[in-house]
C-alpha cells in the first residue's frame, strides 16, 4: 500500500504544486526537532510555538490559493450565467448543449479543487498525529483548540468550506435550468426535493459531502450501521460490479437482521410472567433476556471470522440455531424447566449473524448503493425492535394442541420458530454466494482486499490511490517512516492487536456506546416488572409502550440526519445527547413513595430517544477516529462496537436479576445507579477528548 507522502506527490496537480502542504519538509522538521530536544538545544515549548507558526504559514498559503481558485470559478459561472440569461429570450437547443458542456467543464475544475483541499486536509491531520506520536504531546488538541475556534480561523476554511458549497450551489442551479427541454426552466429552489441528475454534479456533491462531513438522513443511517463506505472517486478497485451483485441475497441479509431483532425483543413484555410460571422470581427475566446477549459475545467473533470464507453457510447455521433455540424456549413451559428455557435463549444468541449481515453489505454491495443498503440495515433493526414487542401484544391467547401449550409466554417461541424455518427454506433456495469466494481457490488473494477503500475511514476523506512509479529513491527512503501503525493497512489479527490500535478517542466512543446500550437495556428489560409493580399494567399495555418507543427510532434519526447534523457539529450533538441521557436517567429515579406514570413515561422517552440520537452520532464519530486497520478483517470496528454493546446488555440484565433479590421496591433505583455513574464518567471522558473529535 502506497503511503501518504508518495500519494501526495503522485496526485498533485502540476501547476498547483507550490500550494500543497509540504508534507515531506514537515516530516524532516519533526525529525530535527526530536534530535534537538534530545540534545537539549530546544525545549518543547519552543518546538510547539515554532512548529505552530510554520504550520500556520502552510495553511495560510493553501487557504489563499483556495480562495483565489474559488474566485476564478465564480467568475466563470457568472460569465456563463449571462449567456444563460440570453437564452431565455431565444431558445436554441445547440446553444443549450454548448452551455451545458461549459458548465460541466467548470464542474470538472471544481472537482480538481476539491481534491486539492482533500489532500491538504489529510496532510494536516496526518502531520498533527505524527507530531503527537513523536513527542508524546497533545499538540493536536492545542492546535485545533486555538485555531479552529478563532473568529479568523483559516483551519476552518480547509475543513468547513462554505465558499466551495456556494460555488456548487450556483453550478447546480444553472445546470438545472439547462436540463429541461423546450425552454421549460424550473428552479431547484422551487422544487428542493427534485434531485439534479447530472454525473458531474453527482461527483461534486459526493466530494463535498466527504470533505465537510455534511450528512443527510440516508448518510446518517449508513454511519449508524458502522459499515465502511468507500469513495467512488478513489482509485481503489471495487470488487463488486452490477453483474455480480445479487439483490435477493442482500434482501435475505436485511430480513435476517429484522427477524433477529424481533426475536430479541418479542419476549420482553412476557419474560417476567414466564419466569414466574416456571417457579422463579419475576426479576429472573433479566437473565432470560440477557442470556441471548451472553451467547452473542462469542457468536459475533466466530461469525465475523466465518464471513472471511462464506456468507451462505453462516446464515444457514444462524437460521438452524435460531429455529431450535426458539423451539426449546416454547417447549420449556410444558417441560417446566427454566434450564431448557435458558438453553433455548443461548442457542438464539449463538445464531446472531449481524456481523455477517454487516460484512455482506460492506463486501458484496456495489459502492453506488452501499449507502442505501447500510441505511436499510439500520432501518431493519429499528423496525424489528418495534415489531417484536408489538407482536407480543397480539399473542395474548391461550389454547392447547395435544400436550403442547400455546399462550402469551410460549407463542413468541412458536411464532419465531416458524419464521426462522420459512426463512431457512427461502435462504436455501435463493441465496447466491458472492463470486469472489468461488474464485479464491484458483486466484489466491488477501481475504480483506475488498476493503482497501474503507481505509479512508481514518481520515474521513477518500483519497485517490495512484502509484508513483517514477519516485526518486531518496523520496522512498524519506517516506519510510510513514509505514507505521497509522498508515499500515494490515487488519488486526487478534483482539490484543485490535486493542493496541485503540486511541483515547476510540476508547471514549466505545465507552459511550457501552453506556447508551446499558441504559437502554435497563429501561427495556425491566419495563414489564416496573410497570406491573407500580402501575399494574397488563402485558398488552407494556407491549404497546415498548412498540411506541421502538417506533421513535426512524423519525428521530430522520430529524437528526436531515437537519440537526447540518446545524451543529457531531461532537456538539454527542455531548448534548449524553447530558440529556443523564437527565433522563436522573428523572427515572423514584424520589417519593408515589411513582407516577407521567414521570416514568417522560423519563423513559427522554432516555431512549436521546440514546438513539447518541448511538447514531457516536458511531459516526467512531468511524472517523478509528484506525483504518480496524475497518477490515475479523477484529474490525463493527465487531468491537458490537462486543461493547453486547457486554453492556449482559451486565445490565445481570444487574436486574441481582437487584431483584433486594425486593421490587428497591429494584428501580438500584438498577439505575450503574448507568448514572457510567453516564457521568462518559461525559467527563468526552470533555477530555473533545478537541480530537473533528
Amino acid at each position: 500500500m502506497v503511503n501518504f507522502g508518495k500519494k501526495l506527490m503522485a496526485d498533485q496537480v502540476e501547476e498547483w504544486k507550490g500550494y500543497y502542504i509540504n508534507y515531506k519538509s514537515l516530516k524532516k522538521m519533526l525529525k530535527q526537532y526530536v534530535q534537538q530536544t534530545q540534545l537539549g538545544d530546544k525545549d518543547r515549548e519552543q518546538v510547539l510555538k515554532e512548529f505552530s507558526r510554520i504550520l500556520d504559514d502552510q495553511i495560510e498559503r493553501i487557504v489563499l490559493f483556495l480562495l483565489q481558485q474559488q474566485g476564478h470559478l465564480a467568475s466563470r459561472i457568472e460569465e456563463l450565467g449571462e449567456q444563460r440569461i440570453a437564452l431565455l429570450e431565444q431558445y436554441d437547443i445547440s446553444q443549450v448543449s454548448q452551455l451545458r458542456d461549459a458548465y460541466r467543464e467548470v464542474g470538472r475544475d471544481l472537482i480538481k479543487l476539491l481534491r486539492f483541499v482533500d489532500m491538504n486536509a489529510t496532510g494536516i491531520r496526518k502531520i498533527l498525529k505524527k507530531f503527537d506520536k513523536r513527542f508524546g504531546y497533545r499538540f493536536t488538541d492545542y492546535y485545533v483548540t486555538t485555531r479552529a475556534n478563532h473568529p479568523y480561523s483559516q483551519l476552518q476554511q480547509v475543513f468547513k468550506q462554505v465558499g466551495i458549497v456556494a460555488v456548487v450551489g450556483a453550478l447546480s442551479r444553472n445546470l438545472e435550468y439547462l436540463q429541461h427541454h423546450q425552454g421549460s426552466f424550473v428552479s431547484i429552489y422551487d422544487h428542493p426535493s427534485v434531485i439534479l441528475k447530472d454525473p458531474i454534479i453527482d461527483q461534486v456533491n459526493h466530494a463535498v459531502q466527504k470533505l465537510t462531513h455534511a450528512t443527510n438522513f440516508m448518510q446518517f443511517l449508513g454511519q449508524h450501521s458502522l459499515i465502511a463506505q468507500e469513495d467512488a472517486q478513489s482509485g481503489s478497485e471495487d470488487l463488486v460490479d452490477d453483474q455480480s451483485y445479487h439483490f435477493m441475497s442482500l434482501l435475505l441479509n436485511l430480513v435476517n437482521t429484522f427477524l433477529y431483532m424481533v426475536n430479541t425483543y418479542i419476549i420482553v413484555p412476557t419474560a417476567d410472567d414466564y419466569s414466574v410460571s416456571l417457579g422463579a422470581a419475576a426479576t429472573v427475566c433479566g437473565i432470560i433476556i440477557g442470556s441471548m446477549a451472553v451467547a452473542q459475545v462469542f457468536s459475533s467473533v466466530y461469525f465475523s471470522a466465518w464471513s472471511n470464507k462464506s456468507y451462505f453457510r453462516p446464515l444457514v447455521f444462524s437460521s438452524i440455531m435460531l429455529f431450535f433455540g426458539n423451539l426449546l424456549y416454547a417447549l420449556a413451559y410444558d417441560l417446566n424447566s427454566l434450564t431448557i428455557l435458558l438453553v433455548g435463549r443461548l442457542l438464539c444468541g449463538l445464531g446472531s449473524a449481524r456481523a455477517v449481515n454487516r460484512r455482506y453489505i460492506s463486501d458484496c454491495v456495489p459502492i453506488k448503493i452501499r449507502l442505501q443498503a447500510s441505511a436499510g440495515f439500520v432501518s431493519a433493526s429499528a423496525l424489528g425492535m418495534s415489531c417484536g414487542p408489538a407482536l407480543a401484544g397480539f399473542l395474548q391467547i391461550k389454547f392447547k394442541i395435544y400436550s403442547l401449550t400455546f399462550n402469551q409466554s410460549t407463542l413468541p417461541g412458536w411464532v419465531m420458530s416458524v419464521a426462522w424455518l420459512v426463512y431457512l427454506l427461502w435462504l436455501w433456495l435463493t441465496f447466491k454466494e458472492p463470486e469472489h469466494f468461488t474464485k479464491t481457490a484458483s486466484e489466491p488473494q488477501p481475504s480483506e482486499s475488498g476493503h482497501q477503500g474503507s481505509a479512508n475511514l481514518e481520515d474521513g476523506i477518500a483519497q485517490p490511490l495512484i502509484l508513483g512509479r517514477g519516485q526518486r529513491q531518496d523520496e522512498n527512503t524519506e517516506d519510510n517512516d510513514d509505514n507505521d501503525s497509522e498508515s499500515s493497512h494490515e487488519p488486526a489479527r487478534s483482539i490484543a492487536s485490535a486493542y493496541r490500535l485503540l486511541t483515547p478517542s476510540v476508547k471514549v466512543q466505545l465507552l459511550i456506546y457501552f453506556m447508551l446500550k446499558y441504559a437502554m437495556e435497563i429501561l427495556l428489560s425491566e419495563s414489564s416488572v416496573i410497570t406491573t409493580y407500580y402501575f399494574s399494567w397488563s402485558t398488552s399495555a407494556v407491549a404497546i409502550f415498548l412498540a411506541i418507543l421502538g417506533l421513535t427510532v426512524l423519525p428521530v434519526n430522520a430529524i437528526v440526519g436531515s437537519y440537526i447534523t447540518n446545524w451543529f457539529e457531531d461532537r456538539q450533538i454527542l455531548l448534548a445527547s449524553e447530558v440529556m441521557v443523564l437527565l433522563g436517567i436522573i428523572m427515572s429515579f423514584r424520589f417519593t413513595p408515589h411513582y407516577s406514570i407521567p414521570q416514568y413515561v417522560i423519563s423513559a422517552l427522554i432516555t431512549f430517544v436521546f440514546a438513539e440520537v447518541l448511538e447514531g452520532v457516536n458511531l459516526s464519530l467512531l468511524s472517523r477516529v478509528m484506525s483504518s486497520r480496524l475497518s477490515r478483517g475479523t477484529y474490525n470496528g463493527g465487531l468491537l462496537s458490537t462486543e461493547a454493546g453486547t457486554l453492556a446488555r449482559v451486565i445490565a440484565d445481570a444487574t436486574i436479576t441481582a437487584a431483584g433479590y433486594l425486593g421490587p421496591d428497591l429494584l428501580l433505583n438500584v438498577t439505575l445507579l450503574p448507568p448514572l455513574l457510567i453516564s457521568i464518567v462518559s461525559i467527563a471522558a468526552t470533555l477530555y477528548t473533545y478537541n480530537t473529535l473533528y
Side-chain angles (χ1 to χ4, degrees), residues 301 492-502 635 639-640 643:
V301 177
R493 301 298 183 186
S494 66
I495 287 288
S497 62
Y499 181 80
R500 286 193 292 270
L501 293 173
L502 301 184
Y635 303 97
L639 175 64
L640 293 178
E643 293 292 87

Side-chain angles (χ1 to χ4, degrees), residues 461-474:
I461 303 172
Q463 304 150 10
L465 306 180
I466 302 174
L467 295 177
R469 298 290 185 186
Q471 299 295 329
R472 297 189 303 272
Q473 184 62 36
D474 64 321

Side-chain angles (χ1 to χ4, degrees), residues 415-662:
V415 169
M416 293 311 302
S417 292
V418 173
W420 285 112
L421 189 61
V422 172
Y423 175 81
L424 178 60
L425 182 62
W426 181 19
L427 178 75
W428 193 272
L429 293 176
T430 61
F431 189 86
K432 180 182 177 182
E433 192 77 281
E435 291 182 3
H436 65 268
F437 282 133
T438 62
K439 294 178 180 178
T440 51
S442 58
E443 297 180 12
Q445 61 184 21
S447 61
E448 306 306 328
S449 61
H451 285 277
Q452 290 184 1
S454 64
N456 299 316
L457 278 176
E458 179 181 11
D459 300 321
I461 303 172
Q463 304 150 10
L465 306 180
I466 302 174
L467 295 177
R469 298 290 185 186
Q471 299 295 329
R472 297 189 303 272
Q473 184 62 36
D474 64 321
E475 289 180 355
N476 292 336
T477 304
E478 179 62 37
D479 279 328
N480 279 341
D481 67 330
D482 263 352
N483 295 322
D484 51 25
S485 60
E486 176 186 300
S487 59
S488 172
H489 289 76
E490 285 295 319
R493 301 298 183 186
S494 66
I495 287 288
S497 62
Y499 181 80
R500 286 193 292 270
L501 293 173
L502 301 184
T503 63
S505 298
V506 175
K507 290 177 182 177
V508 169
Q509 295 309 306
L510 290 175
L511 172 65
I512 293 171
Y513 193 70
F514 178 92
M515 178 274 291
L516 69 90
K517 285 297 182 183
Y518 195 111
M520 290 174 68
E521 190 70 11
I522 289 289
L523 169 65
L524 298 175
S525 294
E526 71 177 12
S527 59
S528 183
V529 177
I530 295 298
T531 55
T532 300
Y533 179 75
Y534 287 108
F535 317 130
S536 301
W537 281 7
S538 65
T539 300
S540 297
V542 177
I544 292 171
F545 172 69
L546 294 177
I548 291 173
L549 284 181
L551 287 172
T552 63
V553 174
L554 288 179
V556 167
N557 280 332
I559 294 171
V560 175
S562 299
Y563 302 103
I564 304 299
T565 53
N566 293 325
W567 296 338
F568 303 98
E569 295 179 8
D570 281 0
R571 59 181 180 174
Q572 294 173 323
I573 302 172
L574 181 87
L575 185 58
S577 299
E578 286 182 89
V579 172
M580 292 304 298
V581 170
L582 176 61
L583 177 64
I585 293 171
I586 293 173
M587 289 177 60
S588 299
F589 277 88
R590 183 169 68 91
F591 297 103
T592 63
H594 177 68
Y595 193 58
S596 66
I597 293 178
Q599 179 187 350
Y600 177 76
V601 171
I602 292 172
S603 61
L605 279 171
I606 291 174
T607 303
F608 187 84
V609 167
F610 282 97
E612 277 298 323
V613 174
L614 184 59
E615 182 174 3
V617 179
N618 167 254
L619 292 179
S620 172
L621 283 170
L622 187 61
S623 69
R624 295 184 202 170
V625 299
M626 185 183 298
S627 167
S628 60
R629 293 178 63 187
L630 291 175
S631 63
R632 314 175 307 286
T634 300
Y635 303 97
N636 54 64
L639 175 64
L640 293 178
S641 63
T642 298
E643 293 292 87
T646 304
L647 187 61
R649 291 172 52 205
V650 170
I651 297 175
D653 290 323
T655 303
I656 294 171
T657 300
Y661 289 103
L662 300 176

Side-chain angles (χ1 to χ4, degrees), residues 259-513:
L259 288 178
Y260 185 79
M261 294 303 290
V262 171
N263 211 146
T264 300
Y265 290 99
I266 193 172
I267 73 160
V268 172
T270 58
D272 58 336
D273 290 337
Y274 204 166
S275 61
V276 170
S277 68
L278 296 179
T283 52
V284 174
C285 68
I287 294 296
I288 295 173
I289 297 170
S291 56
M292 192 169 175
V294 171
Q296 190 179 341
V297 171
F298 304 99
S299 66
S300 296
V301 177
Y302 67 71
F303 272 119
S304 183
W306 203 350
S307 62
N308 288 325
K309 300 179 180 179
S310 173
Y311 295 108
F312 176 68
R313 290 192 293 273
L315 290 175
V316 169
F317 178 78
S318 166
S319 305
I320 293 172
M321 295 297 285
L322 284 154
F323 168 75
F324 283 109
N326 283 288
L327 191 62
L328 290 178
Y329 183 86
L331 292 174
Y333 186 89
D334 292 307
L335 296 174
N336 194 31
S337 173
L338 182 63
T339 302
I340 291 178
L341 182 145
L342 292 174
V343 169
R345 289 293 288 179
L346 285 169
L347 288 179
C348 288
L350 292 174
S352 172
R354 286 173 65 81
V356 178
N357 306 144
R358 274 196 181 105
R359 186 72 176 274
Y360 184 88
I361 294 172
S362 183
D363 275 1
C364 306
V365 175
I367 290 174
K368 63 183 180 181
I369 63 168
R370 192 170 301 161
L371 193 61
Q372 291 89 327
S374 302
F377 175 84
V378 176
S379 300
S381 298
L383 191 60
M385 185 179 182
S386 177
C387 288
L391 183 58
F394 288 107
L395 301 178
Q396 304 302 302
I397 53 177
K398 184 176 181 179
F399 60 93
K400 272 200 168 189
I401 298 179
Y402 298 107
S403 60
L404 298 178
T405 302
F406 297 84
N407 57 25
Q408 66 175 14
S409 297
T410 63
L411 276 171
W414 291 116
V415 169
M416 293 311 302
S417 292
V418 173
W420 285 112
L421 189 61
V422 172
Y423 175 81
L424 178 60
L425 182 62
W426 181 19
L427 178 75
W428 193 272
L429 293 176
T430 61
F431 189 86
K432 180 182 177 182
E433 192 77 281
E435 291 182 3
H436 65 268
F437 282 133
T438 62
K439 294 178 180 178
T440 51
S442 58
E443 297 180 12
Q445 61 184 21
S447 61
E448 306 306 328
S449 61
H451 285 277
Q452 290 184 1
S454 64
N456 299 316
L457 278 176
E458 179 181 11
D459 300 321
I461 303 172
Q463 304 150 10
L465 306 180
I466 302 174
L467 295 177
R469 298 290 185 186
Q471 299 295 329
R472 297 189 303 272
Q473 184 62 36
D474 64 321
E475 289 180 355
N476 292 336
T477 304
E478 179 62 37
D479 279 328
N480 279 341
D481 67 330
D482 263 352
N483 295 322
D484 51 25
S485 60
E486 176 186 300
S487 59
S488 172
H489 289 76
E490 285 295 319
R493 301 298 183 186
S494 66
I495 287 288
S497 62
Y499 181 80
R500 286 193 292 270
L501 293 173
L502 301 184
T503 63
S505 298
V506 175
K507 290 177 182 177
V508 169
Q509 295 309 306
L510 290 175
L511 172 65
I512 293 171
Y513 193 70

Side-chain angles (χ1 to χ4, degrees), residues 205-216:
N205 287 335
H206 184 80
V208 169
Q209 288 165 2
K210 281 284 185 181
L211 204 55
T212 62
H213 302 307
T215 177
N216 56 24

